[in-house]
Amino acid sequence: MAEPRPRVWVSQPLIDAVIEPLRAQVELITTDEVTAWTAEQLAARLADVDGAIITLNERVGAAQVAGATRLQVIANVGVGYNNLDVEALSAAGIVASNTPDVLTETTADLGFALLMAAARRITESERWLREGQWGQWSFQTMLGADIHGSTLGILGMGRIGQGIARRGAHGFGMRVLYHNRSRLPEAAEGEVGAQYADFDTLLAQSDHLVLVLPYTASSHHIIDAAALAKMKPTATLVNIARGGIVDELALADALATGRLAAAGLDVYEGEPAVRPELLALHNIVLTPHIGSASLATRKAMVQLAADNLLAALNVDGAAARMPSAINAEAAFAARTASGDKSKKR
Ligand code: 8YV
């Protein structure tokens, strides 16, 4: 008798053209409407499936997988995976994956768009025009900061950081400084056109500072009042990483008091809620977490998540390698240790 097909849950409506063909290989449970799943609902959904494709909106930890005895794989649609408790998943023998690379250039584009919009006051200008204020024009109207020839700072020099560095150095003739846990090899620094700097030098010398580092316990509020006080009052701050990296109240205060010229945020600590202190400011550009939101890139992200899922579930019977597993070794070791044969590799 043929083995039953693995059962897979998809937590949100994603891209039908990629998800629907999966029905040929797995028993698919889709979600028709965007849903804010509670912790308990997530646990219930994960309890009787072999795999899940989820987004950053779903937080999965020990409590959500405690009853998920069949669950082998969680394919996260996103490069960041701070919504997952990877340690808890590994301990439960569940392998998790993310979607790196396919979104690098699209997200770097958005970082640059926010930088330019904030520094050149694009959205503020548009509001002013729509409000009919052009009649009040003066020679001093909407003066902003230059991008070309300025110093671009990048905090976090992974793939997206390098994409931003290239755009700054090679497109806009910027001097590019970066700070990262580990320094890039010299050849890579040369290729992207960036120089390493310590954290304080980066803060002090950047005309525009872009945050692209992962969100961890050590990057929580790394941009706080003390860090903001070290930046130039004419500087622009852009966050396309995770909201919790910035102390948003300290940022709102710095922008309101002229300690900092402008900011562009795509991510927020309590998203989808945005603090009223931020909404009240004129010198900030706010976008709703659209870093990877081009159609081609979102398709590629879902495809990569699906490829990871099918490989982990060994759907072709060919023990395919997951393209971007996060914790394969630890999860498989836990399966071996527990002698859990029902979770195939
Ligand atoms: C989200 C992101 O995945 O990849 C990430 O880490 O933050 C974004 O690309 C996207 O917004 C869908 O949740």
Side-chain angles (χ1 to χ4, degrees), residues 276-293:
E277 292 85 350
L278 295 173
L279 291 168
L281 294 163
H282 66 87
N283 50 347
I284 190 164
V285 181
L286 303 167
T287 52
H289 205 145
I290 57 168
S292 63

Side-chain angles (χ1 to χ4, degrees), residues 10 29 46 117 148 191 229 269 282 340:
V10 185
I29 305 162
L46 295 174
H148 72 275
E191 194 258 315
E269 202 160 10
H282 66 87
D340 187 348

Side-chain angles (χ1 to χ4, degrees), residues 10 12-22 77 294-303:
V10 185
Q12 301 288 346
L14 296 171
I15 303 273
D16 284 353
V18 181
I19 293 295
E20 286 304 316
L22 297 177
V77 186
S294 77
L295 179 58
T297 290
R298 284 285 168 86
K299 268 190 191 160
M301 290 166 70
V302 179
Q303 187 63 60

Side-chain angles (χ1 to χ4, degrees), residues 38-61:
T38 64
E40 294 72 27
Q41 287 172 327
L42 274 177
R45 293 284 155 167
L46 295 174
D48 64 349
V49 294
D50 303 289
I53 298 180
I54 67 165
T55 72
L56 300 182
N57 297 339
E58 286 77 58
R59 304 189 72 81
V60 178

